[in-house]
Amino acid sequence: MSACSGAGAGAGAEDDEFRIGLLVPLSGPPNIVTAKDAAEALVARVNAGGGLAVGGRRIKVRLLVEDTGGHVERTLSAAVRLIRQERVAALVGPYYSRDAIFVANATEDAQVPMVSPTASNPQVTLGRKYAFSVCLVDTVQGRFMAQYAFQVLGLRSIAVLYDESDTYPQGLARYFADAFVALGGKVVAQEGYPGGVTDFSIQLGRIRAAKAQALYLPNYVQDVVLQMAQARRAGFSGVFLGGDSWEEGTSVLELSAAQGSFFTANFAHGAMGEAVRRQAEHLESVAGVPMDSDGAMVLDALGVVLAAAQAVGSVAPVSLRAGIASLRDYEGFSGRLSFERGGDAVRGAHIMFIEGGQARSRKVLEPAS
C-alpha cells in the first residue's frame, strides 16, 4: 500500500470542516448501532452551537460513518477509503483489536490519528505514534481481574477457555493466566478453540475434570452465552469471570447461568461524574440516545479528538496527533483518562458483578493504580 502523506490527508479541513471518520460494525454480530447514534448526536450538538471552537474560529464537524461488518478486510478497506478519498483528519475506531492492528499500520503510514473506543490489545498501539485507544489495555485488565480473583474472591485454581483465532481473547487469556500464576494461583486447564465453533463440550469436559474453582471466558458475547449454558449443563458449578467484551449488549447479563459472575469493564453508569451525567441526560432526552458502554466509549474516543483540536488550535492530522498525545485528565463518560504513557489510555476501570440481570460495580481501579 502506498503512503498517504500527513500533509495530504485531511487537507482542506482547515478551510471548511473538521472531517472525522467513524469505523463501526453496524451489521454483525454484534451490531453497535448505539455507538453510531451517540456519535452523531454529539456532532449534531456541537454543530448546533455553531461548530467546534478551534484556534479562534468555529468549524463545522462532519462525521463520515463506515459499516465495518466486523470483518478485517472490510474494516481496512473502509479506513483507507476514508483517509485517501474522504480526506478525514482523524479516525474513530475500529472497535476490535484484530481490526485495529491492521488499520493502525495504515494510519501510521498516512500520519492520520486513529482513536479506538475498545481495541484493548497492546499490539494496537505498540511502537506507533498515531494509534490511540481510550479503553483499558488488556495487560492491565488481565492483571486487575487476576488480583480480584485471588485476593478478594479467594480463588486458587482457575481454568481458561478462549478463542485462539482472535487477537483479543487470545491475548487477554494469556495476560490473566500469567498474572494469576504470579500471585500464587494455579491454571488447572487452559483450553483454546477455533473461531466459529458452537459446541464446547470437549473443552468443558476437561475443564470440569480439572476441578477448577472458576472459569475465565475472555471471549465475545456470542460465544460466552453458549459457553456459560454448556458449562452448567456439563456440571461446572464454579464462578465465571470475564473481560470487557461482556459489556456489549445485555445477552450475558440476562442469562441465568451468568448470575453471580464477575467481569472487568470500562464503564459503570452509576460512576459518571456530575458534569458528564448532565451531558448524558441531555443526549438521552434530546436525541434519544441511552448511555450504555458502547455509547460512552465512542463518545470518549470522539471527545478526545475534539478536545485535541481545541487544545492545539488546529484540525491538521499531525497537529491532532500531538494534541491527543498531550491530553491529561480528560473527563469522559467512562471516566478520567490521560495519554501520558503512549497510545494506551491511563484510566480507571471496574470489576462488575452480575445479579438480577444487571451489572453493578464492585471495585474501582483508579488511573494511578
Side-chain angles (χ1 to χ4, degrees), residues 272 275-285 289 291 333:
M272 285 191 293
V276 293
R277 186 187 304 278
R278 288 197 297 269
Q279 294 180 52
E281 291 171 351
H282 175 84
L283 288 173
E284 185 163 1
S285 62
V289 179
M291 189 55 60
F333 291 91

Side-chain angles (χ1 to χ4, degrees), residues 117-163:
T118 57
S120 54
N121 189 284
Q123 294 297 319
V124 172
T125 61
L126 184 64
R128 298 186 174 99
K129 293 177 60 178
Y130 285 83
F132 300 88
S133 183
V134 297
C135 64
L136 189 68
V137 68
D138 288 341
T139 50
V140 178
Q141 71 162 315
R143 184 180 74 246
F144 187 31
M145 178 55 84
Q147 290 172 343
Y148 191 82
F150 190 88
Q151 298 170 353
V152 180
L153 300 180
L155 299 172
R156 294 297 180 266
S157 65
I158 57 98
V160 181
L161 176 63
Y162 67 98
D163 181 350

Side-chain angles (χ1 to χ4, degrees), residues 71-88:
H71 300 291
V72 175
E73 296 82 3
R74 185 169 170 179
T75 304
L76 182 57
S77 176
V80 171
R81 181 166 59 254
L82 286 169
I83 293 169
R84 291 183 176 178
Q85 298 178 18
E86 299 295 346
R87 301 169 73 78
V88 297

Side-chain angles (χ1 to χ4, degrees), residues 14 28 35 63 90 114 116 119 146 177 191 200 222 230 239 252 255 268 353:
E14 290 281 4
L63 191 68
M114 173 195 90
S116 173
E191 298 284 338
F200 307 96
Q222 61 266 30
Q230 291 179 27
V239 180
V252 173
L255 193 67
F353 178 66

Side-chain angles (χ1 to χ4, degrees), residues 22-33 66-78 94-100 102-103 118 163 165-167 220 222 248:
L22 175 63
L23 297 167
V24 59
L26 300 177
S27 53
N31 54 346
I32 310 180
V33 178
E66 288 280 350
D67 176 14
T68 65
H71 300 291
V72 175
E73 296 82 3
R74 185 169 170 179
T75 304
L76 182 57
S77 176
Y95 270 72
Y96 305 121
S97 295
R98 63 175 182 257
D99 304 331
F102 289 98
V103 171
T118 57
D163 181 350
S165 69
D166 191 283
T167 304
Y220 296 113
Q222 61 266 30
E248 295 179 355

